Amino acid sequence: MIRSTKYLIPPARRSLVTRPQLTRKLEEGMETKLTLLSAQAGYGKTTALSEWARQCRASVAWVSLDKYDNDWGAFWSCVLASIRERLPLFGKSVEFLLEQESAASIDFAVSAFLNELSSISGDYVLILDDYHVIENAYVNESIRYMLEHLPPHFHLYIASRTDLSFPTTRLLAKGEINVIRIEDMRFDLEEGVAFFRETANLSLSIRQISTLFEQTEGWVSGLQLAAITLKRSGNIADTIRQFSGRQRQISDYLLEEVFRHLSESLQQFLLATSVLSRMNGELCAAVTGQADSQVLLEQLEQLNLFIIALDEQRDWFRYHHLLSEFLQQLCARDYPELWRLSHHRAAAWHENERLYEEAVEHYIRTEQAEDAIRIIDRIMPELLQSRSHVVRRWINALPESSFEHKPMFQLYRISQFLMDRDWKQGLHKAEQAERRFEAMKASIPEPEWKQLMGNIYYLHALFFRMQQNMPRALHYFELLEHYLPEGSSLQKASTKRYLGHEGFGDPLSLTVDLHEMEQFQLKLITMWGKKPNYPFVGYAYLSYSSLMHEWNRLDEAESYIGLALSRKDLRANVWTWIHLGLVSSRHKQALGREEEAIEWLTQLGSSVDSPDQPVIWKRIKAEQAWLYLLQGQRQKAYDWLEQSGLSHSDEVSARYFEEYVVVVRVLAENGRIEDALQLFEKLERLADKENRLRERIRLKILHSMVLRKSEEPQAALAPLAIALRLSEPMGYIRSYLDEGPQMVEMLGELLNQQQKTALTLLPSNYIRLLLEAVSSNPSPRSLSNEALTEKEEKVFELLTEGFIYKEIADQLNVTQDTVKFHLKNIYRKLRVNNRGEAIMRAKEYRKRV
């Protein structure tokens, strides 16, 4: 019951003042997506919402948020649980929302949630009370995204002490937000008169009420506190004159006035129970030692002392936030022993009731780390499966010294540094843990000790790999092999998840030295390749085959791709399997097997079982769109862009880097150069921030391709020259070849410029190598379009007029290699083998195009 009270609409307060204007304002929210009640504490946001919700014609889900919900998983757990109060089967398809990794894919996670909302019939309202406690960026972004795509029958009401942390300008411009601010929440004078005379039963003059309104500015809680104080006052006129200052000062003054006039037993009761977020008679009795706690709760409610019933039976209560904050500060400051004792007793009661999460929270608050760890250790296996975010928060809140004797706690804490990409700090902690584990050798069974050492060596290897220290990474992978030949159990965490993997989705993105990486991955394949059930080897196969493809060693790439795809165990790791499939598709495209490349991607998306299926399809559809461009099927690429939900105006993140690269390509191909460049600049800033060489190279190449289609095509040569200088040491090839004939033209022009001006900055031998690679590779359709390009038309015209290669090159200011490349494409498109056949079919071709 203690948790379910978060999802119940608070019962109506007794003797409420009727507020028809505020009710009408709330009702207007049924015509908008969002209604925001934004006002400081004590303006009656919860009271107004609960009263309106109980008479609302629509179904209502209510969530009373607190600081423990400031987390992706905790927040969405509350939302789903609230809706399930009325719709028990709701949300089965979106339970993966509760996992922390889903925060990285806000659009798909919330899209799945919205799909379920669409199946609900009739108007539906979700009320999020006390939203100001939510500071988590992922949660705020998910709500922003949800509002943009909310179905018309669903309405979100948010009560917050502060304005929202995400922009609402667009909603405001469209008339889709209903804002209720302090001026709407304040009592007006007429309501104030009704409150004092009818609700508070105080016979005040209009002048006295006006004075109170002037001092409190219609602040509802200030007026309530004033009423409590005035009832005890022997001189109402003098008491009213003492009201002055700001709201916070008035609040503290009035609360102190109210508090000091209570009996000592009631004061002690309030102070002790202030540590509770929700309470009933039994819990209060355990915390205070007062057997009549239920009676005291009811007495407080009768006094209208800022206590709120949470259920119709009035078994469960909570204090108003103003009173709760006042009491907690007072108790912690002036009665520290009582504060600690109350938390300890609350923890013991919750533990006895098997409410373990609440027990841990109280133990942590009072720094009883040993007791917190004792419970966490008991429930960790279950929580890691469903509420890992809770474990993460607890371990982060505990001093590390408190779990030095708990190796699994340490491993889990260190793995968080890996997820948070704090590799330097993570490695430092791993080294500390290694020394502790070594010291434990004599005190625990050898198999258990080896398990610990293997796991910590595995984490060491990953930290060094992320920091580009391949020799040290290999050393620790070899130690892993020695201690845990079957691999670390940490390798198998979240294997069905596509999300949660860092990087830009490119297997080589974390690599600077490709030559060093080649040897590193080969050694891992040699070490693990013969193990029949070792899915972690998939990362090595993936990286190595990607590298062979980049170096244009296509036979070797095909061999290693085939070895990887033939392993049944690699299907267990969704991320690896998908990226192996993407590399395989690009490989087929490079070999000219175009239809097979597209079809392969379709089959790939259907071959995995993952809660992140929408994210996977997003990646695959983007890859198909790029292949459509390469194959000259522009309309299909344009259609993808229209349906993708991606735009040049979006804020970009590393998670969807590859998808936005394709968006840039499609925009440029569609003539939207300014939009393409706007998005490109965002991607470039992101890559610079991440400081990854491979992305910088690829983006310079992309920049040159976009500029080539602009009104100043010669501007494309500058970023291309930069890319060439960056990529020459590592021997990048396919990143250039896969761009097609425009890239060949630009390479030829650069080489020709260098020969004419004797420039020494450009790597001329490298450019020649790339052009030779074009000539020696198969000539797939991806290197051209089915219709002749503008350059090919010019080459073909000069060819039919009898010019030889050198003369055509001079006429067009390109190299002879470029001319040969264009002729090769021309012959293929015309299905001829030589100049004579080409001339014979020229007339026929021109009629066809």
Side-chain angles (χ1 to χ4, degrees), residues 52-180:
W52 174 81
R54 289 183 173 277
Q55 60 187 16
C56 180
R57 66 179 186 275
S59 297
V60 177
W62 180 287
V63 182
S64 296
L65 296 165
D66 56 44
K67 62 184 178 181
Y68 301 120
D69 301 320
N70 186 34
D71 175 280
W72 173 270
F75 176 85
W76 282 104
S77 292
C78 287
V79 171
L80 291 181
S82 173
I83 296 176
R84 284 172 176 169
E85 288 288 315
R86 286 178 175 263
L87 302 170
L89 300 180
F90 180 87
K92 291 295 182 182
S93 68
V94 293
E95 289 182 339
F96 67 94
L97 272 170
L98 310 184
E99 298 190 35
Q100 175 68 23
E101 296 89 343
S102 293
S105 179
I106 290 163
D107 50 356
F108 281 111
V110 182
S111 291
F113 177 74
L114 291 169
N115 284 338
E116 291 238 8
L117 290 184
S118 298
S119 65
I120 298 175
S121 59
D123 282 337
Y124 203 94
V125 172
L126 171 63
I127 297 176
L128 302 177
D129 195 18
D130 292 325
Y131 190 82
H132 54 269
V133 301
I134 303 299
E135 299 173 348
N136 185 286
Y138 291 133
V139 173
N140 280 309
E141 175 59 17
S142 69
I143 294 296
R144 183 203 64 78
Y145 180 87
M146 184 177 78
L147 285 168
E148 285 190 3
H149 302 87
L150 209 60
H153 69 284
F154 195 89
H155 311 278
L156 180 63
Y157 282 67
I158 292 178
S160 175
R161 296 186 191 177
T162 61
D163 283 340
L164 299 176
S165 301
F166 51 84
T168 56
T169 308
R170 187 182 302 179
L171 290 173
L172 193 61
K174 293 181 178 179
E176 294 175 339
I177 181 171
N178 175 35
V179 181
I180 301 176

Side-chain angles (χ1 to χ4, degrees), residues 628-634 669 709 741 780-790 792 825 828-829 845:
Y628 288 140
L629 284 182
L630 293 174
Q631 296 174 15
Q633 301 184 62
R634 295 183 180 87
E669 193 68 35
K709 299 179 186 299
R781 192 173 302 164
S782 61
L783 295 179
S784 67
N785 305 316
E786 283 309 287
L788 296 186
T789 65
E790 182 179 349
E792 289 167 353
N825 280 329
R828 181 183 58 78
K829 290 178 179 181
Y845 170 79

